[in-house]
Amino acid sequence: MDFSPTSTAHRRLAHLARQRFVEGLCAGLSALDRTVHDFLTELMGQTATQRDMQLRRDAWMGHQAHRKTWVEHLGRAWRESLAPPPVTGRGTLNASKAFDGLELLGDDVLENKIIASRMALTLTEHVAAPFDAARQRTQHLEGRELAGTDILRPETLCLHLVEQWLEVGLQRDHLQMVIDPLQRELAALALAQYQALVKLYDEQGVVAQDDLRARVRRAAAGPNTGSPGEPPPASGPVGLASQALQQSRAALGRPTEFAPTRQAASAFMPPPPGMRGQPAMAGMGSPLVRARQRAQGVMMQLRRLLTQPTTGYDMVKAPPASAALAHALAAHRVSADSYYSDVATLVEDYSPQAVVRVASAVRERSVEFKKKASTASEKAIIEVVALMFQSILSEDRIPPSVRVWFARLQVPVLRVALAEPEFFSNLTHPARQLIDRMGACVLGFDASSINGSALEAEIRRIVQVIEQYPETGQRVFQLVHDEFEKFLAKFLTEKQGTSRIVSVAQQVEQRETLAIQYTIELRALLKDMPVRDEIREFLFKTWAEVLAMSAVRDGAQHASTAAFKRAAADLVWAAGAKPNRADRALVIQNLPALLQSLRQGLALIGVAGPEQDAQIKGITDTLADAFLSKTASIPQAHIDAMAKRLANLEDYIGDEALGDMPLSADNIEMLLGIDASSIHVIADNGAPVQDDMVAWAQQLPLGTWFTLDHNGASTQVQYAWHSQRKQLHLFATRDGGSYLIQLRRLGAYLQAGLLVAQEEESLTLRATRDALIKLDANPERLLG
C-alpha cells in the first residue's frame, strides 16, 4: 500500500491508530489502579514512625474513596484528547496555543507539569524504540510533527494522569508516595500499546519517515515531504546523525541547541515545589533532583544518537567487535606501557606538555581504531569515547600527573563500551563510577601537592591493573572501584589531626548511641516495677549517660562499667519500700558504697561540685522516704534479674538507626580530655530541613570538594569521613582545619546553599555532554 503524506486516507489511518492506542491504555486502567491499591496496602503493613504511618493511612483511605472516580476521569481525559488540535496554514497549533511558553502558570499547574515531566522521563526510557517508530510513522502520515499535547507523547499521558489524580480530590503528596510503582505499571502498559501501534502500521505498509532507504529515495527525488516550512531532510549518514541529535532534543523538550554551560542548562528547569511564587527560572526541586534529571537527559540524548538507523547500535546486546578492531585493541593492551612511554615518557614526565602529547597520541590511536572498524555503530562508539576523553584531558583543574594516567583508560573504556551497551545508559556503570570518583578527589589539588602522593600512586596502580586484565569489563572496573573506595576512606583520614578527630567523633557517636539504647533498656526493665519517679528520671536521663561513657572509654565488660551497672540495680532496690528491719539495715550498710559509685559516675560525665551535691541530695532524700513507705517492696528476684540483664546488656541491644544526638565542642573535650578549639563543631540547632535534603546528606561521596560558607567565611573543604550511622560528617580544609557537622545540620546547610559542591556534574557526565555538543556542531565526525 503506497502512502504519500497528508491525504484523507492517511489522516484517517493516523486517527484510527490513536483510537486503538487510547482504548488499549484505557483497558489497562484497572491494572494501573490495582497496582496503586496493592502498593498502599503493603505499605500500610510496614513499620515506620507514627507520622509516616498516619500519612500512609491517609493515602490508603483517600485512594479507597476516590479510586473509581479517578479511573473514570482519566479514561475520559485520554479519550477526549483524541480530538485533533487546531492547525494553521503552517501546520502548527492556533495562535491561542502558540504562546504557551509565555503564559503565566499557576502554582498548581506548574507542580503538575513538574511531576508529569519526571514520570515522562522514566516512561520514555522504557518505550523509547517503539515510541520513536510510532511517532515517525504518524508524522509521515500527517505531514507534520506531533503536537506538544498529542496523546501519543509520553508527557501528555503523564500530565493527564497527574491532573485527574488531583481533579478527583486525591492529594499530590500521596501521588509522590506511589509514583514509583505507578510509573512502572504505566510504562509496561504504554510499551504494549506503542508496540501494537507499530504492528498496525506495519500491517498497513506505512514506511517510517526516518527510514534510511526512504530518506535516500526522497533526497534523490527532490521534493520536501517533511513538516511545512522546514528544509528538506538531509540524506546519508551525516544527515541522519545530525537529525538524530535534533530529535533527541525535541523528545526531551529541550531547546534546539545545547546550552554551552551547566548554568545555562539548568536555566531551563522549572521551579521547585518549595519555591512557589518565585521566578520560574529558579530551578526545580533539590539540587540533587535537578542534577539527576539533567544527567538522565544527557544519557537519553546519547542513547538516541547511538540507536538511530544510521548507527543501529543494539542497546541491549552488542555484537562482538569486528575481527580487525578486536585485534587492534588486543595489540594495544599488550604494548600499552611501551606505547605511552614512547609518546611522553610518562614514568618521569607529568608536565602539561606531556598531557598535550598524550592527548594527541590517543586521538591518533582513535583514528586508527576507526579505520579498523567495519560497522557504523563501532565507528560511532569510538568517536563518542574519544570525545569524552578529549574533554577529560582538557580539564586543566585535574593535575597533569593524573590526566596522563586517565588518558591510558581510554582504550580499556572503549573495550567496555563496545561490549557493554549499559555504559551509554547507566550512570552507575563501574567504569564511569571509577573515573568520576578519581576525578572528584583530585579536582581540589594542585600539581605540587599530588605529584608523588599516595593518591597519585593509587591511581597509577589502578590504571595498570585495568590495562593488564585480558578482558576489560564491569568486573575489573568494579573490583578496582571497590579497592579505590577503601583506599580513599583511609587516605582522607590518615593525617594525624584528622585521624584524631575521626577517633573522637566515632566515640561521640558510639557514646550517644549507647546512651539512647541503655535508656530504652532501662525503661523496659523498670516498666512493671514500683520505682519512684525521681529514681526513674535519674536512671533514664543521667545514669544511662554514665553507662555509655564508661562503655566507650573502658569497655562494656570492664570492671568499672560492671560496677556502674550493679549500682543501677542497687539504687532501684534501695529506693523501694523496706517494710522489715533487715532490709533497712542492709540499705544503711551499703549506702556509703552506693553513693560513692554514684559520685564516681557523675564525675565521669562531668557533673561535679554543687551540681553533683544537689543530685546526690535528691537521691538520699528519696531513699530516706523509702524507709517510711508502706507500698509494696520490689521482690529480690526482680532485682537479680535486672542486674543480670544489665551485666550483659550489650548482647540484647540492637543496632537500629537512632535519632539525632547532642553534639558540641564541650562534650568532645569531656569525652577524651582534648582541646577541641581546632575543631569547628556544627551541631543540630533545630532548623527546619526537608527530608530529601537529609537523604542527600547521607549520600554524599567521600573525597568530593565543596565550598562551605560558615559564619560568613567561605572555605574550600573536602568530605573526608562519616560515622558508621552517618550521624556525624567530617570536612577537612587544605590547611588542616576540620568541620564536624551533625546530619540534620548538614542537610540544612545543603538546603540553604551554605554547602555547595564545586562540581555539579560528574566528570564522565560532563565529558558526555561536551561530546554531544561537539557532535551537534560537527555531526560528520560521528561516522567519518
Side-chain angles (χ1 to χ4, degrees):
M1 186 175 183
D2 182 24
F3 281 93
S4 58
T6 68
S7 72
T8 302
H10 307 153
R11 288 193 294 270
R12 187 181 302 116
L13 177 58
H15 182 68
L16 173 64
R18 283 189 180 86
Q19 281 185 320
R20 291 193 181 181
F21 177 75
V22 169
E23 289 305 322
L25 289 174
C26 293
L29 274 175
S30 59
L32 204 65
D33 173 68
R34 188 165 55 252
T35 296
V36 175
H37 170 74
D38 292 346
F39 177 79
L40 288 174
T41 302
E42 181 181 354
L43 208 58
M44 283 271 289
Q46 297 177 4
T47 303
T49 64
Q50 184 64 32
R51 177 176 178 273
D52 287 343
M53 291 291 288
Q54 184 62 51
L55 288 174
R56 293 171 182 178
R57 282 193 294 271
D58 292 344
W60 186 87
M61 294 177 64
H63 180 253
Q64 287 296 104
H66 300 289
R67 56 187 297 191
K68 182 178 179 181
T69 310
W70 175 62
V71 169
E72 293 174 352
H73 279 56
L74 180 54
R76 184 164 63 246
W78 278 346
R79 290 186 177 96
E80 289 176 351
S81 66
L82 285 171
V87 178
T88 68
R90 296 179 57 204
T92 60
L93 294 178
N94 63 20
S96 65
K97 296 293 185 181
F99 296 96
D100 282 348
L102 298 179
E103 67 177 283
L104 295 176
L105 299 179
D107 291 338
D108 290 340
V109 174
L110 195 55
E111 293 273 9
N112 294 347
K113 288 181 178 293
I114 291 171
I115 298 174
S117 67
R118 294 174 183 172
M119 293 185 66
L121 279 174
T122 302
L123 188 60
T124 305
E125 278 288 329
H126 286 80
V127 304
F131 166 66
D132 276 346
R135 176 180 58 83
Q136 291 165 7
R137 299 182 191 196
T138 304
Q139 289 173 175
H140 174 61
L141 289 173
E142 297 180 333
R144 60 185 177 90
E145 291 284 335
L146 297 183
T149 57
D150 197 298
I151 191 59
L152 292 181
R153 289 191 178 276
E155 55 268 33
T156 303
L157 291 177
C158 295
L159 185 58
H160 281 305
L161 184 150
V162 173
E163 289 176 341
Q164 297 310 313
W165 179 279
L166 300 173
E167 182 70 24
V168 301
L170 291 167
Q171 295 184 24
R172 185 177 284 109
D173 290 345
H174 298 163
L175 175 59
Q176 295 280 21
M177 189 182 300
V178 302
I179 198 166
D180 285 342
L182 179 60
Q183 64 190 9
R184 284 196 298 269
E185 184 66 26
L186 179 62
L189 174 61
L191 177 62
Q193 301 314 310
Y194 283 124
Q195 290 172 337
L197 187 56
V198 173
K199 182 179 179 181
L200 171 65
Y201 283 148
D202 285 341
E203 291 172 350
Q204 296 297 322
V206 181
V207 179
Q209 184 177 1
D210 281 353
D211 181 83
L212 179 59
R213 292 183 299 275
R215 279 187 175 276
V216 172
R217 286 196 300 269
R218 285 198 300 274
N224 172 21
T225 58
S227 300
E230 293 182 354
S235 61
V238 173
L240 284 176
S242 179
Q243 293 224 352
L245 286 165
Q246 302 292 332
Q247 290 163 8
S248 67
R249 288 192 291 277
L252 289 170
R254 298 292 177 90
T256 304
E257 297 179 357
F258 281 99
T261 64
R262 294 188 301 278
Q263 290 77 10
S266 64
F268 294 98
M269 308 302 291
M275 300 183 67
R276 295 186 178 97
Q278 298 189 26
M281 306 295 277
M284 179 175 64
S286 71
L288 181 64
V289 172
R290 295 200 303 270
R292 285 176 174 171
Q293 290 177 338
R294 289 198 299 268
Q296 290 172 353
V298 171
M299 299 304 286
M300 287 176 64
Q301 292 175 36
L302 178 60
R303 180 172 180 168
R304 288 178 180 276
L305 175 65
L306 292 175
T307 56
Q308 61 169 305
T310 312
T311 56
Y313 187 49
D314 188 341
M315 293 296 291
V316 178
K317 185 177 181 180
S322 56
L325 180 57
H327 178 76
L329 292 170
H332 182 276
R333 182 187 66 81
V334 173
S335 61
D337 269 331
S338 60
Y339 172 76
Y340 288 112
S341 296
D342 292 343
V343 171
T345 60
L346 285 183
V347 177
E348 298 87 9
D349 189 357
Y350 291 146
S351 66
Q353 292 76 20
V355 176
V356 174
R357 291 195 295 272
V358 171
S360 176
V362 295
R363 182 66 206 173
E364 292 174 1
R365 181 53 59 97
S366 297
V367 173
E368 295 175 9
F369 287 151
K370 219 167 182 181
K371 292 178 180 177
K372 303 287 186 181
S374 61
T375 66
S377 63
E378 287 179 344
K379 292 179 180 180
I381 292 168
I382 293 170
E383 185 63 28
V384 170
V385 172
L387 289 175
M388 287 177 60
F389 274 87
Q390 182 178 318
S391 173
I392 293 172
L393 296 181
S394 65
E395 180 55 81
D396 55 10
R397 291 173 299 165
I398 300 178
S401 59
V402 175
R403 276 186 281 165
V404 294
W405 287 104
F406 275 6
R408 297 178 66 155
L409 286 176
Q410 178 171 337
V411 176
V413 168
L414 174 58
R415 294 165 64 187
V416 168
L418 287 165
E420 300 177 8
E422 185 183 354
F423 177 78
F424 293 112
S425 60
N426 183 10
L427 287 168
T428 61
H429 188 283
R432 284 181 174 272
Q433 284 190 314
L434 176 65
I435 297 173
D436 290 340
R437 296 295 286 120
M438 294 193 300
C441 294
V442 301
L443 279 171
F445 291 104
D446 56 27
S448 61
S449 62
I450 201 170
N451 287 355
S453 68
L455 180 57
E456 187 270 331
E458 177 66 8
I459 291 175
R460 179 173 66 247
R461 184 193 72 83
I462 283 175
V463 173
Q464 291 175 332
V465 167
I466 292 173
E467 285 182 330
Q468 293 306 311
Y469 264 74
E471 297 298 330
T472 303
Q474 283 199 37
R475 190 171 67 88
V476 62
F477 276 99
Q478 186 65 60
L479 173 68
V480 295
H481 175 266
D482 294 342
E483 291 178 354
F484 183 71
E485 292 286 3
K486 293 177 182 177
F487 161 82
L488 199 59
K490 180 180 178 181
F491 171 77
L492 293 172
T493 58
E494 66 182 3
K495 293 181 181 179
Q496 185 174 0
T498 305
S499 176
R500 180 64 171 166
I501 295 170
V502 166
S503 176
V504 172
Q506 286 174 327
Q507 294 182 64
V508 168
E509 182 182 60
Q510 184 183 4
R511 192 200 85 174
E512 300 300 338
T513 300
L514 284 174
I516 295 172
Q517 292 173 323
Y518 283 140
T519 301
I520 294 172
E521 290 298 321
L522 285 169
R523 288 183 184 276
L525 288 172
L526 299 180
K527 181 180 179 181
D528 299 322
M529 291 188 186
V531 180
R532 292 173 177 264
D533 292 341
E534 298 89 343
I535 299 301
R536 288 178 184 272
E537 184 176 4
F538 175 78
L539 290 173
F540 298 160
K541 294 184 178 180
T542 303
W543 206 247
E545 293 281 346
V546 173
L547 295 179
M549 177 68 81
S550 181
V552 170
R553 293 191 65 168
D554 301 321
Q557 301 304 320
H558 191 270
S560 61
T561 307
F564 290 138
K565 291 177 179 178
R566 183 68 208 182
D570 291 343
L571 179 60
V572 170
W573 179 79
K578 298 294 177 288
N580 62 72
R581 182 177 300 178
D583 287 343
R584 290 196 292 269
L586 190 58
V587 170
I588 294 173
Q589 176 185 342
N590 295 336
L591 185 58
L594 175 60
L595 293 179
Q596 181 63 23
S597 292
L598 296 180
R599 286 188 178 276
Q600 290 175 349
L602 292 173
L604 182 64
I605 62 173
V607 178
E611 184 182 358
Q612 184 184 107
D613 293 339
Q615 293 219 31
I616 294 297
K617 184 180 184 303
I619 291 173
T620 55
D621 289 345
T622 303
L623 295 180
D625 187 53
F627 275 72
L628 306 175
S629 174
K630 301 298 182 180
T631 58
S633 60
I634 302 174
Q636 185 62 42
H638 289 183
I639 299 297
D640 292 341
M642 175 182 175
K644 182 179 180 180
R645 185 172 178 89
L646 281 173
N648 299 283
L649 193 57
E650 291 71 30
D651 296 335
Y652 302 100
I653 59 180
D655 192 33
E656 64 273 9
L658 300 168
D660 295 330
M661 67 190 82
L663 180 69
S664 69
D666 292 339
N667 62 26
I668 289 179
E669 290 183 353
M670 179 184 66
L671 182 65
L672 292 182
I674 68 169
D675 179 11
S677 58
S678 62
I679 307 173
H680 300 276
V681 178
I682 307 178
D684 182 23
N685 62 355
V689 56
Q690 299 172 5
D691 291 342
D692 61 341
M693 289 297 177
V694 176
W696 183 19
Q698 293 177 313
Q699 297 175 27
L700 298 180
L702 290 174
T704 306
W705 287 87
F706 294 84
T707 299
L708 173 65
D709 185 352
H710 179 62
N711 291 341
S714 183
T715 309
Q716 187 179 25
V717 295
Q718 188 176 31
Y719 185 33
W721 171 86
H722 60 72
S723 61
Q724 181 179 359
R725 296 172 182 83
K726 296 187 177 181
Q727 292 293 324
L728 299 175
H729 302 260
L730 184 68
F731 294 79
T733 64
R734 291 173 181 266
D735 58 6
S738 299
Y739 292 83
L740 186 62
I741 311 180
Q742 209 162 353
L743 174 61
R744 292 191 66 82
R745 190 72 178 277
L746 177 57
Y749 267 49
L750 290 168
Q751 181 174 299
L754 295 177
L755 185 71
V756 179
Q758 295 190 351
E759 296 299 315
E760 294 182 2
E761 292 182 317
S762 65
L763 191 59
T764 58
L765 179 63
R766 187 162 62 251
T768 302
R769 186 189 296 279
D770 290 345
L772 289 171
I773 292 173
K774 289 183 173 64
L775 289 170
D776 184 47
N778 180 202
E780 295 87 351
R781 67 189 304 159
L782 183 66
L783 303 179

